[in-house]
Amino acid sequence: MTKLDYFWMSKEEWIKEKEDGFGYVLREDAPEEAKESYRRYLEQRKSASERGSI
């Protein structure tokens, strides 16, 4: 089981829908702790994808 850091999604004002309408990304004006969480999330997703767990 792969656990990902989703803190960055905990406040609606920190996220916006992707241009293609599938999923969310972090807004540029989000606080630093949300940006760090988003960086960890992206790293975790990449690693899990390489292992084939997502």
Side-chain angles (χ1 to χ4, degrees):
M1 175 197 237
T2 300
K3 289 189 174 189
L4 303 176
D5 184 346
Y6 283 106
F7 173 74
W8 65 277
M9 290 189 75
S10 63
K11 302 239 183 204
E12 284 189 37
E13 60 266 16
W14 294 350
I15 60 175
K16 63 182 178 182
E17 193 170 330
K18 287 184 177 180
E19 290 181 17
D20 63 9
F22 294 100
Y24 295 93
V25 293
L26 190 67
R27 295 174 57 102
E28 294 174 15
D29 61 347
E32 190 58 40
E33 61 267 19
K35 291 177 182 178
E36 181 61 32
S37 171
Y38 188 63
R39 282 190 285 271
R40 281 192 304 266
Y41 165 79
L42 292 176
E43 289 174 12
Q44 292 166 343
R45 249 185 70 168
K46 180 181 177 189
S47 177
S49 179
E50 289 171 352
R51 289 191 315 266
S53 61
I54 61 169

